């Protein structure tokens, strides 16, 4: 089987495995990578950008070499894709948040929130927890599902492993805390680069999938064009703005993290999100994830067809 054909089959199998199984509860390879990164940090840390470049470069180069050595077969691609995806677990937590918020269990919602984002749950009331959940579902639909699927399609096993490693490092050291403002700079900027195209694909898919939640594709596109660029992240703004437009809600505002308070711009021009919108955001996320899997499999399959055609064409 030609390599891109193996890639398409592997991506499909990996997506279905994530859909059925979700993240492993113990011994997840991403957790193993994170533990290794934390140990390396003890040796490489210094409060400057060069140390962060070295730290990030060593870890991601190691993943690229490991991915290249692992091979290109469908089973290997399926396993790498499955390891990199997090969409099913994301939606499970989103569904749990909808349930506890509907029950008025704010303590339960605060315990769940760290599974979605790094905000300070103690500072949030019901409205804040609802908005944080919808925004996190939007951003992580892109980061945890669309992006790894796209990188698996265009760069195979090394690409999807490097992407997942970059996203993990950004979560670990890419924030603007006093410790990581300089050391985490390289991880944060690299994550911005590798998420640039996936975030725009996410925006397009949200626009297309808006009718799944009785939303307006036009409103999603309008929010993207008008509001996304005002977000501090060049990529999260696209996902959050299109989700806001598709759901008919207004996102943004004061956002409290452990290390600082950020005042986020308004995204969308609808009403304030309500608990019912958490379930709608989960449904929209699922639809976008399924569409992204289709795009990834099609991209890999078309690549196989093009390359096979080139091999079969006679040479003059």
């Amino acid at each position: 089987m030609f390599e891109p054909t193996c890639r398409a089959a592997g991506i499909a199998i990996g997506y279905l495995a994530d859909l059925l199984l979700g993240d492993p509860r113990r011994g997840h390879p991403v957790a193993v990578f994170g533990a290794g990164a934390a140990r390396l940090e003890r040796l490489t840390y210094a409060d400057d950008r060069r140390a962060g470049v070295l730290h990030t470069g060593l870890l991601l180069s190691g993943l690229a070499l490991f991915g290249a050595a692992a091979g290109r077969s469908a089973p290997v691609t399926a396993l790498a894709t499955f390891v990199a995806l997090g969409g099913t677990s994301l939606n499970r937590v989103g569904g749990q948040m909808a349930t506890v918020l509907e029950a008025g269990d704010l303590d339960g919602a605060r315990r769940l929130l760290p599974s979605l984002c790094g905000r300070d749950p103690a500072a949030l009331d019901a409205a804040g927890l609802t908005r944080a959940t919808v925004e996190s579902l939007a951003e992580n639909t892109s980061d945890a599902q669309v992006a790894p699927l796209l990188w698996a399609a265009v760069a195979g096993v090394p690409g999807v492993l490097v992407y997942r490693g970059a996203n993990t490092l950004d979560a670990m050291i890419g924030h603007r805390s006093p410790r990581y403002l300089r050391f985490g700079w390289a991880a944060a900027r690299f994550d911005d680069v590798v998420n640039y195209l996936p975030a725009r694909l996410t925006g397009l898919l949200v626009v297309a999938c808006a009718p799944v939640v009785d939303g307006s594709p036009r409103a999603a596109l309008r929010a993207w064009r008008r509001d996304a660029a005002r977000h501090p992240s060049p990529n999260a703004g696209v996902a959050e703005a299109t989700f806001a437009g598709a759901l008919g809600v207004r996102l943004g505002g004061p956002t409290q993290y452990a290390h600082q308070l950020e005042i986020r711009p308004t995204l969308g021009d609808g009403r304030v999100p309500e608990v019912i919108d958490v379930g709608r955001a989960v449904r929209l996320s699922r639809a976008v994830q399924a569409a992204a899997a289709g795009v990834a499999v099609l991209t890999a399959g078309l690549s196989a067809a093009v390359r096979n055609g080139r091999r079969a064409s006679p040479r003059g």
Side-chain angles (χ1 to χ4, degrees):
M1 188 183 292
F2 191 60
E3 187 264 329
T5 304
C6 292
R7 188 182 297 176
I11 292 169
I13 295 168
Y15 167 73
L16 291 174
D18 178 69
L19 197 63
L20 293 172
L21 303 174
D23 289 337
R25 294 189 177 183
R26 295 182 180 179
H28 196 300
V30 173
V32 174
F33 172 79
R39 288 174 184 164
L40 181 64
E41 185 181 326
R42 298 171 191 169
L43 302 174
T44 58
Y45 180 81
D47 189 19
D48 65 64
R49 290 184 175 182
R50 288 174 297 178
V53 169
L54 174 64
H55 179 77
T56 302
L58 285 173
L59 288 165
L60 298 187
S61 296
L63 284 177
L65 291 172
F66 177 79
R72 303 175 178 181
S73 67
V76 171
T77 302
L79 181 59
T81 302
F82 170 66
V83 165
L85 295 179
T88 295
S89 295
L90 170 69
N91 288 334
R92 285 177 180 170
V93 176
Q96 292 168 0
M97 285 291 288
T99 298
V100 297
L101 286 170
E102 287 171 1
D105 181 5
L106 297 188
D107 288 338
R110 291 184 181 115
R111 285 193 295 270
L112 277 174
L113 190 66
S115 298
L116 290 172
C117 62
R119 303 184 194 187
D120 180 7
L124 299 177
D125 57 9
L129 290 163
T130 298
R131 176 171 72 85
T133 301
V134 173
E135 290 174 352
S136 298
L137 284 166
E139 180 178 1
N140 287 310
T141 295
S142 180
D143 290 357
Q145 197 79 359
V146 178
L149 285 167
L150 184 59
W151 278 106
V154 302
V157 174
V160 73
L161 292 183
V162 168
Y163 170 77
R164 194 65 178 92
N167 192 243
T168 302
L169 283 177
D170 180 58
M172 293 177 68
I173 65 173
H175 43 82
R176 297 185 176 183
S177 66
R179 176 176 173 84
Y180 292 123
L181 182 62
R182 285 173 284 275
F183 183 74
W185 175 84
R189 297 292 77 77
F190 189 77
D191 184 73
D192 286 343
V193 170
V194 295
N195 272 299
Y196 187 85
L197 290 179
R200 274 90 196 143
L201 175 60
T202 300
L204 291 173
L205 295 178
V206 172
V207 170
C209 294
V212 170
V213 290
D214 298 321
S216 165
R218 183 175 296 180
L221 187 59
R222 182 172 65 247
W224 180 357
R225 289 176 172 174
R226 185 190 62 209
D227 301 331
R230 296 190 290 137
H231 195 284
S233 166
N235 301 319
V238 175
E240 292 182 23
T242 50
F243 260 71
L247 295 170
V249 300
R250 184 172 68 254
L251 301 176
T255 304
Q256 181 66 59
Y257 291 95
H259 54 281
Q260 67 180 15
L261 173 66
E262 295 184 7
I263 306 300
R264 296 286 178 85
T266 299
L267 307 174
D269 51 13
R271 54 183 169 75
V272 173
E274 301 172 3
V275 174
I276 192 173
D277 296 311
V278 175
R280 295 177 66 224
V282 169
R283 293 198 302 275
L284 181 58
S285 176
R286 285 179 180 147
V288 171
Q289 292 177 31
V295 170
V297 171
L298 181 62
T299 299
L302 287 175
S303 174
V306 169
R307 293 190 185 187
N308 280 331
R310 287 176 180 172
R311 287 187 172 187
S313 61
R315 297 183 179 180

